C-alpha cells in the first residue's frame, strides 16, 4: 500500500511540474497565483498530503448524530448511504461530497459569490464583479431568509437539512486539514467554511448555466441589419421538421405556421453602439465567453424520453435521460444512493456536489429526468441615464437602488464595488468599457436584464419533493416549486403512468406600449425608459403545457419546440433547438413495434450517431455531383461520390464520409447566407432546419444567390461551390488525395478539460469520437480551422426499468472522485463512457440486503455521545488493557524461556554478539 502511494505521489509530482511549466510557457500571468514550489513539492507538505483513495474502512465520530450511519462505496466509488434520519443522511452526504469533490464545490460557490479573486488575483476581478452584479448571490440570500421563515412557521424542515449537510462538509474540512486536493496546494489557499447560502448559490449557478442568455441583444442587431421581413422568414421557417415535445397541441406540417409581423425598427445609433460594445466586452469575461461558445455549438441541451408498458418489452415504463452540458474533470454530476429510515426515503440518482438532494433519478415509485425547455425567461431593457444616480423609467426620472460589495483580491487587498439596480434588474454595462464616442448622441444608455432566477426560488426544495414522491399527484405538487431553470420534466412510475411537463416560470409581458410593428413577447430588448415590456405575471402552472399517457405510448424531449400551433394563449419560446435529435428519437421509438423496447434498445438510442441533417441534405449533394458535366467529374470528385453513396449517415470516427459531409455543410451554410449577413454585419445565422427547408423546397431562393457576383446562383451552384471548397480544404488538412483515409476521428475529437485553465495535465483527452452536434449522442465541434475539440455532450446517462429497479443503468463522463491520482478520477470515462458502456445501479434499501462483493470501502459515522458507542468503546479499552497486562505478566514469568528461544534464533542466523 505504501509503495503504491509513493508511486502515486511521484506520478502526481511529475504532473504538477508539467502543469507549472505549461503555465509558464503559455499562461505567464497565472504564475503570479501559484504557491511557492517548495510548498507544493517538499516532503511533509503539498502533494505529500494529497489524498489518493478513500480508506477501505473509516470510522467518523461526530457528536449530535441521531444514530449510526453506514456508507458503502461500490466498485465505481459511488456512495450508498444508509441513515436512520434525514438529518444524519444530509450530514453524511455533505461529508462524502467534500471527501470526493471539495475543490469543485469551492470553485462553484466562489464563481457565484464573487470570490475567485481571493485565490487567483485580479485575473478574475471583472468576472467577480459581473457575477455579483447579476444578482445570483443576492437572491440566494433572499431565498435563504425565506427558508428560515418557513422553518420557523413549521411549514418544512429544508433549512435544517441544508444546515446538517453543511455540518458534514465542514466536519470533513476540519478533520482533514492539510489533506486537501492538490489544487489547493498549487494555488496556495485553503477551503473555508461551507454554509447553507453556498448550497443555494449552486441553484443560481445552474440557472445561469441553463437560461442566462444575450439572444435578445444579438437578435436586435440582426433584425436591424437584415430588416424585419428577412428575419421573419428565418423565424417562420424555424418550425420546419419540428416534432413538438407535448404532442397534444397539434403538429407542424412542412410549411410555415408561425407568423412574425413587424415594421421598421426605430433604434438610435447610440443604443446600437451600447449593445455592440457590451457584447464585445462580455466576451472578455472568461465565464461569459465559455457560455457563449457552448450556446453557439448547441452544447447545452439534453435528451429524455419514456415509453409505457405497451411499447416496452417489460410491460412497465422505461425512462431515459442524458443531460448535455460542458465536460470537465471532474464532471458536474455525482452519483449517490440515499436511504433514510425515518422518512422511508430510498432514492438513487445524480446530485450536485454542494447540494443535499438527488436532482434527477428515481425512488421506489417514480423516476424523472430533465431537458432544457428553452422558455424565454429573461428580457433585456435599455434606459437613458440622467446622472450617476438616476435613470428614466416609464418617462420619470427614477433613483437607482444600490448594492455594495468588497472584493478581496489576492495580493492587493480589498476593492469596493457598487452595483446599480433598476426596477427590472441590475445595470451590467456601466462598469465595463462602454464609453460613447463623441460622434454619437451624448446620452448614456444602460442595459439591465430581468430574469426569473433573480427571485426567491426553491428548485432544490422541488427536487426534495421529487425524492419522496410516490405518484404523479405528489410529483406535480413538488413541481410547483421548480421555477428556474425551466426544464422539461419526463416522468414514469410503477403504476404505468408516463408524462411530460415543461415546468418553470414563464413571464407574461405587457406589450401595449411597444411600438407598432416591433416584435413583442420578449423577442427584442425593451425600451425601459418608455415603460415597455413590463412583466404582469407568470403563466399559471395549470396552463403550462403538459402531456400524460400519450396514445403513441412514448414521449420525447430534446430541446425542440415545446408545443404545436394549437397552443395559443401564451407565448413560451422565442427560439429553440433545430429539432434533429428530437426527430431521430421519435423516429426510432415510433418504428419500434409495441412490446419490443427494452434496456438494450434504450442504450442503442442513447448512443445513436446517425445524422438526421446529413440524411436530409446529402442526397442533394449526390444528385448535384451526378449531374455535373463529364469535364468536372474528376477522380477525387468521383471518390467523394463513392464515399457518400455508400454511407448510412453514421458519424463514425473511422469513416471518411462524415468528414466530407460536415466540412461541406459548413461551406454550404456559409455560401448560402454569409454574403447577405456579412454585408450588413448581422451576427445571427438561421438555424440548420431553415437551410434544410430552402434546400428541399426552394432551390431558386434568393438566399442561394451570391450578392457579390453578377450571376444569379441557385441551390446547385452553391452545393458544388461548397464541394469544391471542401475537397480543397480536406486535401490541405489530410495531405493526401486518398479520400478513404479522411477519417472523421482525426478531425473530430473529444476533450475533458480540468475545471481551471492552465491545469491541462489534469485534463483527459483528446480522444477520437463519433457523432456531431445533431446526433442523439452529441459532440459539437468547430472544424473551420482544422481539428475540432468537443468540450461538451452527455454529462450523464441513465435508464430506469420499472419492471426491475435492480436493472437500472447509468454512467458519467469522468469519475466520482476529483483527485487526479485516484482510480475513480476517470474510470467511468475511460472504461465505460467512451466505450458506450454503463454500470448497474445497486438499489438496495437496507445494509443487510446490499451485496458484500460490491463493497469497495465503507464509512461508519458514530455519535461520540451515543451510549451504545460509549459502552463499546469502554469495553474495548478494558479488554485491550487486560490483554496488555496479561502479556506483561506472562512475559515476566517466562523470561528465561524467552531468552533461551531468542538465543537459539540468533545462533541459527549467524551467531550472537554481546
Amino acid at each position: 500500500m505504501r509503495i503504491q502511494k509513493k508511486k502515486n505521489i511521484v506520478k502526481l509530482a511529475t504532473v504538477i511540474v508539467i502543469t507549472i511549466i505549461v503555465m509558464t510557457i503559455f499562461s505567464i500571468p497565472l504564475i503570479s497565483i501559484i504557491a511557492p514550489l517548495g510548498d507544493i513539492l517538499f516532503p511533509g507538505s503539498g502533494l505529500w498530503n494529497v489524498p489518493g483513495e478513500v480508506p477501505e474502512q473509516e470510522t467518523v465520530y461526530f457528536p449530535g448524530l441521531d444514530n449510526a450511519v453506514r456508507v458503502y462505496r461500490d466498485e465505481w466509488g459511488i456512495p450508498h448511504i444508509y441513515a436512520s434520519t434525514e438529518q444524519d443522511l444530509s450530514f453524511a452526504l455533505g461529508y462524502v461530497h467534500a471527501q470526493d469533490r471539495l475543490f469543485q464545490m469551492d470553485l462553484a460557490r466562489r464563481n457565484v459569490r464573487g470570490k475567485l479573486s481571493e485565490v487567483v488575483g485580479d485575473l478574475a476581478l471583472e468576472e467577480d464583479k459581473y457575477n455579483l452584479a447579476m444578482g445570483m448571490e443576492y437572491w440566494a440570500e433572499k431565498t435563504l431568509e425565506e427558508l428560515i421563515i418557513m422553518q420557523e412557521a413549521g411549514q418544512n424542515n429544508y433549512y435544517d437539512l441544508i444546515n446538517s449537510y453543511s455540518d458534514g462538509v465542514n466536519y470533513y474540512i476540519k478533520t482533514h486539514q492539510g489533506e486537501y486536493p492538490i489544487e489547493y496546494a498549487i494555488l496556495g489557499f485553503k477551503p473555508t467554511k461551507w454554509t447553507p447560502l453556498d448550497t443555494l448559490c449552486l441553484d443560481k449557478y445552474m440557472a445561469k448555466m441553463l437560461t442566462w442568455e444575450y439572444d435578445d441583444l444579438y437578435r436586435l442587431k440582426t433584425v436591424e441589419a437584415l430588416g424585419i421581413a428577412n428575419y421573419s422568414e428565418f423565424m417562420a421557417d424555424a418550425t420546419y421538421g419540428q416534432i413538438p415535445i407535448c404532442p397534444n397541441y397539434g403538429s407542424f406540417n412542412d410549411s410555415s405556421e408561425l407568423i412574425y409581423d413587424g415594421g421598421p425598427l426605430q433604434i438610435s445609433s447610440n443604443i446600437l453602439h451600447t449593445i455592440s460594445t457590451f457584447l464585445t466586452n462580455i466576451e472578455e469575461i472568461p465565464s461569459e465567453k465559455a457560455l457563449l461558445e457552448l450556446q453557439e455549438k448547441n452544447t447545452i441541451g439534453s435528451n429524455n424520453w419514456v415509453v409505457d408498458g405497451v411499447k416496452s418489452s417489460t410491460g412497465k415504463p422505461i425512462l431515459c435521460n442524458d443531460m448535455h452540458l460542458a465536460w470537465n474533470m471532474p464532471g458536474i454530476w455525482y452519483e449517490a444512493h440515499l436511504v433514510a429510515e425515518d422518512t422511508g426515503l430510498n432514492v438513487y440518482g445524480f446530485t450536485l456536489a454542494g447540494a443535499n438532494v438527488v436532482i434527477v433519478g428515481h425512488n421506489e415509485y417514480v423516476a424523472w429526468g430533465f431537458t432544457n425547455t428553452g422558455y424565454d425567461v429573461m428580457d433585456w431593457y435599455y434606459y437613458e441615464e440622467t446622472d450617476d444616480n438616476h435613470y428614466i423609467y416609464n418617462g420619470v426620472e427614477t433613483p437607482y437602488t444600490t448594492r455594495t460589495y468588497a472584493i478581496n483580491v489576492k495580493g492587493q487587498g480589498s476593492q469596493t464595488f457598487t452595483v446599480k439596480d433598476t426596477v427590472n434588474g441590475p445595470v451590467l454595462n456601466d462598469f465595463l468599457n462602454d464609453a460613447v464616442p463623441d460622434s454619437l448622441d451624448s446620452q448614456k444608455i444602460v442595459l439591465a436584464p430581468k430574469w426569473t432566477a433573480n427571485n426567491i426560488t426553491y428548485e432544490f426544495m422541488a427536487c426534495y419533493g421529487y425524492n419522496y414522491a410516490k405518484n404523479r399527484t405528489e410529483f406535480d405538487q413538488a413541481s410547483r416549486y421548480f421555477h428556474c431553470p425551466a426544464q422539461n420534466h419526463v416522468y414514469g412510475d410503477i403504476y404505468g403512468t408516463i408524462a411530460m411537463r415543461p415546468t418553470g416560470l414563464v413571464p407574461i409581458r405587457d406589450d401595449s406600449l411597444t411600438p407598432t410593428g416591433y416584435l413583442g413577447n420578449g423577442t427584442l430588448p425593451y425600451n425601459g425608459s418608455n415603460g415597455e415590456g413590463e412583466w404582469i405575471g407568470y403563466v399559471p402552472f395549470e396552463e403550462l403545457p403538459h402531456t400524460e399517457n400519450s396514445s403513441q405510448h412514448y414521449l420525447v424531449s430534446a430541446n425542440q419546440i415545446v408545443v404545436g400551433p394549437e397552443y395559443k394563449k401564451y407565448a413560451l419560446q422565442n427560439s429553440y433547438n433545430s429539432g434533429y435529435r428530437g426527430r431521430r428519437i421519435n423516429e426510432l421509438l415510433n418504428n419500434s413495434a409495441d412490446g419490443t423496447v427494452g434496456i438494450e434498445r434504450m442504450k442503442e438510442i442513447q448512443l445513436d450517431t446517425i445524422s438526421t441533417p446529413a440524411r436530409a441534405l446529402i442526397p442533394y449533394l449526390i444528385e448535384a455531383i451526378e449531374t455535373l458535366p463529364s469535364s468536372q467529374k474528376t477522380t477525387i470528385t468521383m471518390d467523394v461520390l463513392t464515399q457518400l453513396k455508400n454511407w448510412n449517415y453514421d458519424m463514425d470516427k473511422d469513416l471518411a464520409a462524415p468528414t466530407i459531409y460536415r466540412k461541406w455543410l459548413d461551406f454550404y451554410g456559409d455560401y448560402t447566407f454569409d454574403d447577405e449577413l456579412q454585408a450588413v454585419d448581422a451576427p445571427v445565422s438561421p438555424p440548420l432546419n431553415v437551410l434544410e427547408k430552402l434546400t428541399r423546397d426552394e432551390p431558386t431562393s434568393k438566399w442561394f444567390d451570391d450578392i457579390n457576383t453578377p450571376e444569379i446562383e441557385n441551390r446547385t451552384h452553391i452545393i458544388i461551390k461548397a464541394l469544391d471548397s471542401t475537397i480543397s480544404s480536406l486535401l490541405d488538412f489530410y495531405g493526401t488525395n486518398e479520400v478513404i483515409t479522411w477519417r472523421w476521428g482525426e478531425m473530430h475529437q473529444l476533450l475533458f478539460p480540468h475545471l481551471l485553465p492552465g491545469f491541462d495535465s489534469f485534463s483527459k483527452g483528446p480522444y477520437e469520437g463519433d457523432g456531431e452536434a445533431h446526433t442523439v449522442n452529441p459532440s459539437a465541434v468547430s472544424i473551420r480551422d482544422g481539428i475540432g475539440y468537443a468540450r461538451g455532450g452527455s454529462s450523464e446517462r441513465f435508464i430506469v426499468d420499472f419492471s426491475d429497479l435492480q436493472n437500472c443503468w447509468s454512467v458519467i463522463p469522468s469519475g466520482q472522485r476529483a483527485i487526479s491520482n485516484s482510480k475513480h478520477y476517470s474510470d467511468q470515462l475511460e472504461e465505460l463512457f467512451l466505450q458506450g458502456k454503463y454500470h448497474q445501479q445497486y438499489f438496495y434499501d437496507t445494509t443487510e440486503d446490499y451485496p458484500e462483493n460490491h463493497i469497495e470501502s465503507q464509512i461508519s459515522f458514530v455519535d461520540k455521545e451515543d451510549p451504545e458507542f460509549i459502552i463499546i468503546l469502554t469495553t474495548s479499552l478494558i479488554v485491550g488493557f487486560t490483554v496488555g497486562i496479561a502479556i506483561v505478566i506472562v512475559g515476566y514469568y517466562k523470561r528465561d524461556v524467552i531468552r533461551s528461544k531468542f538465543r537459539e534464533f540468533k545462533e541459527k542466523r549467524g551467531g550472537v554478539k554481546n
Side-chain angles (χ1 to χ4, degrees):
M1 190 72 177
R2 289 182 179 179
I3 294 174
Q4 182 61 46
K5 183 176 180 181
K6 186 175 180 181
K7 287 181 178 178
N8 287 340
I9 290 174
V10 172
K11 179 181 177 181
L12 185 57
T14 305
V15 169
I16 292 169
V17 171
I18 293 172
T19 297
I20 293 173
I21 291 172
V22 168
M23 286 182 173
T24 304
I25 296 173
F26 297 107
S27 304
I28 292 175
L30 289 177
I31 286 300
S32 62
I33 69 174
I34 297 174
L37 197 58
D39 292 348
I40 303 172
L41 298 179
F42 286 170
S45 63
L47 69 90
W48 295 89
N49 295 325
V50 170
E53 309 302 343
V54 299
E56 291 183 10
Q57 297 277 349
E58 181 181 4
T59 302
V60 176
Y61 305 112
F62 181 76
L65 291 175
D66 295 316
N67 214 324
V69 181
R70 181 63 58 86
V71 178
Y72 293 146
R73 278 190 172 90
D74 63 28
E75 59 265 36
W76 301 103
I78 298 165
H80 302 257
I81 307 177
Y82 296 89
S84 297
T85 66
E86 283 187 302
Q87 273 74 19
D88 289 354
L89 179 65
S90 291
F91 176 89
L93 181 61
Y95 185 93
V96 298
H97 271 168
Q99 192 173 41
D100 286 334
R101 298 284 186 94
L102 183 59
F103 183 75
Q104 180 186 39
M105 295 163 63
D106 204 344
L107 203 62
R109 67 168 168 175
R110 287 180 178 278
N111 183 282
V112 174
R113 303 191 64 183
K115 295 179 180 293
L116 291 173
S117 298
E118 289 183 355
V119 297
V120 301
D122 59 8
L123 291 172
L125 184 57
E126 290 304 306
E127 184 152 352
D128 280 347
K129 287 181 178 180
Y130 197 75
N131 285 332
L132 286 171
M134 276 185 186
M136 293 184 287
E137 182 194 53
Y138 175 83
W139 285 104
E141 287 177 337
K142 294 298 181 185
T143 300
L144 181 63
E145 292 169 6
E146 191 64 24
L147 284 175
I148 293 172
I149 292 171
M150 294 168 73
Q151 171 105 359
E152 292 172 348
Q155 295 175 357
N156 65 58
N157 68 334
Y158 190 68
Y159 175 69
D160 266 357
L161 296 179
I162 54 177
N163 258 319
S164 295
Y165 177 87
S166 299
D167 289 342
V169 175
N170 292 325
Y171 196 67
Y172 178 83
I173 293 172
K174 176 183 176 181
T175 56
H176 290 76
Q177 295 185 34
E179 301 177 24
Y180 304 134
I182 191 61
E183 290 90 343
Y184 285 104
I186 293 175
L187 295 175
F189 77 102
K190 296 179 180 179
T192 56
K193 184 178 180 180
W194 190 268
T195 68
L197 177 59
D198 293 323
T199 291
L200 296 180
C201 281
L202 294 191
D203 186 13
K204 302 302 182 184
Y205 176 80
M206 291 302 296
K208 179 192 174 184
M209 183 187 302
L210 295 170
T211 65
W212 183 268
E213 45 85 5
Y214 303 93
D215 291 357
D216 297 2
L217 304 178
Y218 285 111
R219 200 177 287 127
L220 176 64
K221 291 188 64 181
T222 302
V223 173
E224 178 68 19
L226 284 178
I228 195 68
N230 289 329
Y231 174 78
S232 296
E233 182 180 339
F234 288 163
M235 288 307 297
D237 289 345
T239 62
Y240 186 86
Q242 292 276 359
I243 302 175
I245 290 170
C246 293
N248 47 317
Y249 299 93
S251 59
F252 295 101
N253 57 37
D254 287 342
S255 62
S256 304
E257 299 207 34
L258 296 184
I259 305 301
Y260 289 79
D261 296 321
L265 302 182
Q266 304 295 325
I267 306 295
S268 74
S269 57
N270 189 8
I271 294 168
L272 289 172
H273 172 80
T274 299
I275 290 173
S276 296
T277 302
F278 175 66
L279 292 174
T280 299
N281 288 336
I282 60 169
E283 293 186 12
E284 299 301 316
I285 300 173
S287 63
E288 302 312 293
K289 181 179 181 181
L291 182 63
L292 287 169
E293 289 176 351
L294 290 172
Q295 291 172 345
E296 181 182 5
K297 294 178 181 177
N298 293 313
T299 299
I300 297 175
S302 299
N303 304 319
N304 65 32
W305 64 91
V306 62
V307 301
D308 67 11
V310 174
K311 180 69 73 171
S312 79
S313 61
T314 66
K316 290 284 188 179
I318 301 177
L319 181 145
C320 302
N321 189 203
D322 55 296
M323 296 180 285
H324 306 160
L325 298 169
W327 287 329
N328 283 114
M329 297 301 297
I332 190 168
W333 301 113
Y334 182 93
E335 286 188 73
H337 175 206
L338 311 177
V339 178
E341 293 179 19
D342 64 336
T343 57
L345 179 68
N346 183 16
V347 61
Y348 189 111
F350 298 90
T351 68
L352 283 172
N356 69 318
V357 290
V358 168
I359 307 297
V360 297
H362 68 91
N363 59 31
E364 295 170 299
Y365 304 93
V366 309
W368 68 99
F370 296 158
T371 69
N372 227 19
T373 63
Y375 282 162
D376 189 355
V377 301
M378 182 175 175
D379 288 337
W380 286 87
Y381 298 81
Y382 54 89
Y383 300 91
E384 297 176 9
E385 185 174 80
T386 56
D387 58 41
D388 287 344
N389 301 312
H390 298 83
Y391 65 103
I392 301 298
Y393 166 64
N394 200 14
V396 178
E397 186 175 62
T398 305
Y400 291 115
T401 57
T402 59
R403 292 175 276 132
T404 299
Y405 299 93
I407 300 176
N408 293 321
V409 183
K410 185 176 183 179
Q412 298 181 27
S414 179
Q415 291 197 24
T416 301
F417 169 58
T418 299
V419 180
K420 297 187 290 192
D421 285 304
T422 69
V423 294
N424 283 318
V427 174
L428 292 184
N429 66 313
D430 64 333
F431 58 90
L432 299 173
N433 180 23
D434 67 336
V436 179
D438 294 338
S439 59
L440 297 177
D441 185 354
S442 61
Q443 182 70 58
K444 183 175 180 181
I445 300 296
V446 295
L447 300 174
K450 188 165 187 174
W451 181 34
T452 57
N454 277 350
N455 211 328
I456 295 170
T457 65
Y458 305 108
E459 288 72 34
F460 288 158
M461 204 159 75
C463 292
Y464 173 76
Y466 302 160
N467 289 190
Y468 278 99
K470 290 182 171 62
N471 52 54
R472 181 67 180 156
T473 300
E474 292 181 6
F475 190 89
D476 267 359
Q477 188 60 37
S479 298
R480 293 173 180 272
Y481 288 109
F482 205 99
H483 293 166
C484 186
Q487 297 290 289
N488 299 305
H489 286 50
V490 69
Y491 171 93
D493 64 33
I494 59 171
Y495 313 106
T497 301
I498 65 171
M500 185 75 72
R501 182 182 284 278
T503 298
L505 286 184
V506 183
I508 302 172
R509 286 100 173 166
D510 178 3
D511 283 331
S512 62
L513 298 178
T514 303
T516 302
Y518 191 88
L519 301 178
N521 293 320
T523 308
L524 302 175
Y526 285 114
N527 185 338
S529 289
N530 287 347
E532 296 175 9
E534 288 296 305
W535 291 8
I536 55 177
Y538 299 99
V539 177
F541 180 82
E542 293 78 10
E543 297 188 45
L544 289 169
H546 56 93
T547 304
E548 288 190 8
N549 297 325
S550 171
S551 60
Q552 65 190 16
H553 304 299
Y554 65 87
L555 293 165
V556 175
S557 80
N559 315 115
Q560 73 269 37
I561 196 167
V562 168
V563 290
E566 294 174 14
Y567 185 92
K568 298 180 182 298
K569 188 169 184 179
Y570 299 104
L572 302 175
Q573 297 170 286
N574 279 315
S575 61
Y576 25 83
N577 185 277
S578 52
Y580 290 106
R581 284 182 285 110
R583 282 159 66 173
R584 177 62 176 165
I585 299 168
N586 271 278
E587 172 195 352
L588 291 170
L589 292 175
N590 187 60
N591 291 343
S592 298
D594 290 349
T596 64
V597 179
I599 292 295
E600 292 308 311
R601 180 58 172 158
M602 292 302 203
K603 290 179 181 179
E604 290 172 1
I605 296 175
Q606 283 192 329
L607 300 171
D608 185 81
T609 52
I610 297 294
S611 173
T612 303
R615 193 168 57 185
L617 295 170
I618 285 300
Y620 296 93
L621 173 56
I622 290 174
E623 179 185 27
I625 296 173
E626 288 180 332
T627 56
L628 283 173
S630 299
S631 60
Q632 295 183 38
K633 291 183 177 179
T634 63
T635 300
I636 196 166
T637 300
M638 299 315 291
D639 287 346
V640 165
L641 179 64
T642 298
Q643 292 297 315
L644 295 176
K645 292 183 73 171
N646 292 331
W647 186 35
N648 67 348
Y649 308 111
D650 188 354
M651 299 295 288
D652 186 327
K653 64 179 181 294
D654 292 320
L655 299 179
T659 313
I660 299 165
Y661 152 71
R662 177 52 206 282
K663 198 68 178 177
W664 170 81
L665 181 63
D666 283 350
F667 283 120
Y668 184 43
D670 291 349
Y671 292 156
T672 301
F673 298 116
D674 277 7
D675 51 325
E676 289 89 357
L677 298 179
Q678 291 178 359
V680 293
D681 194 26
V684 178
S685 298
L688 181 55
N689 56 330
V690 172
L691 179 61
E692 180 191 350
K693 182 180 186 300
L694 295 177
T695 303
R696 286 181 182 270
D697 301 340
E698 303 176 45
T700 59
S701 168
K702 65 183 180 182
W703 298 102
F704 289 125
D705 178 42
D706 185 348
I707 64 174
N708 298 311
T709 69
E711 293 80 18
I712 303 297
E713 287 85 5
N714 59 28
R715 179 186 67 196
T716 302
H717 293 127
I718 301 304
I719 285 175
I720 295 301
K721 180 180 178 182
L723 175 65
D724 291 341
S725 296
T726 296
I727 292 173
S728 175
S729 175
L730 295 179
L731 282 171
D732 287 343
F733 180 83
Y734 288 96
T736 176
N737 59 6
E738 294 291 329
V739 174
I740 197 172
T741 67
W742 295 353
R743 297 175 58 258
W744 177 228
E746 290 187 41
M747 187 167 276
H748 173 259
Q749 302 191 7
L750 316 180
L751 184 62
F752 301 81
H754 186 269
L755 292 167
L756 286 177
F759 283 63
D760 295 346
S761 299
F762 297 98
S763 301
K764 291 294 178 177
Y767 308 94
E768 293 188 354
D770 304 324
E772 60 150 351
H774 302 287
T775 50
V776 176
N777 180 10
S779 49
V781 298
S782 171
I783 57 172
R784 296 182 185 278
D785 299 318
I787 298 174
Y789 297 103
R791 298 170 183 265
S794 296
S795 61
E796 50 74 49
R797 297 185 183 119
F798 81 92
I799 304 172
V800 177
D801 178 359
F802 276 105
S803 72
D804 179 6
L805 291 175
Q806 297 299 340
N807 190 35
C808 300
W809 302 82
S810 52
V811 66
I812 58 175
S814 62
Q816 286 285 104
R817 195 152 162 75
I819 306 296
S820 62
N821 57 319
S822 166
K823 63 184 176 183
H824 294 310
Y825 183 65
S826 59
D827 55 343
Q828 289 199 51
L829 169 66
E830 294 169 327
E831 297 174 35
L832 299 176
F833 186 84
L834 293 172
Q835 310 301 322
K837 298 179 181 179
Y838 299 70
H839 66 77
Q840 185 179 359
Q841 297 178 357
Y842 304 127
F843 188 62
Y844 297 92
D845 57 2
T846 67
T847 54
E848 291 78 14
D849 291 335
Y850 193 93
E852 290 187 12
N853 60 320
H854 292 299
I855 300 175
E856 182 180 85
S857 65
Q858 54 186 300
I859 308 174
S860 297
F861 291 89
V862 182
D863 182 354
K864 282 183 179 179
E865 299 173 1
D866 184 351
E868 183 179 342
F869 167 71
I870 293 173
I871 291 172
I872 293 172
L873 180 62
T874 303
T875 303
S876 299
L877 290 173
I878 292 172
V879 170
F881 179 77
T882 302
V883 171
I885 292 296
I887 291 172
V888 171
I889 292 172
V890 170
Y892 177 77
Y893 285 104
K894 297 290 185 178
R895 60 187 181 277
D896 292 337
V897 174
I898 293 172
R899 285 172 181 167
S900 174
K901 293 293 183 182
F902 179 72
R903 291 183 65 85
E904 290 177 9
F905 173 76
K906 296 295 288 182
E907 288 171 356
K908 290 179 181 179
R909 297 293 301 269
V912 179
K913 294 182 180 179
N914 294 321

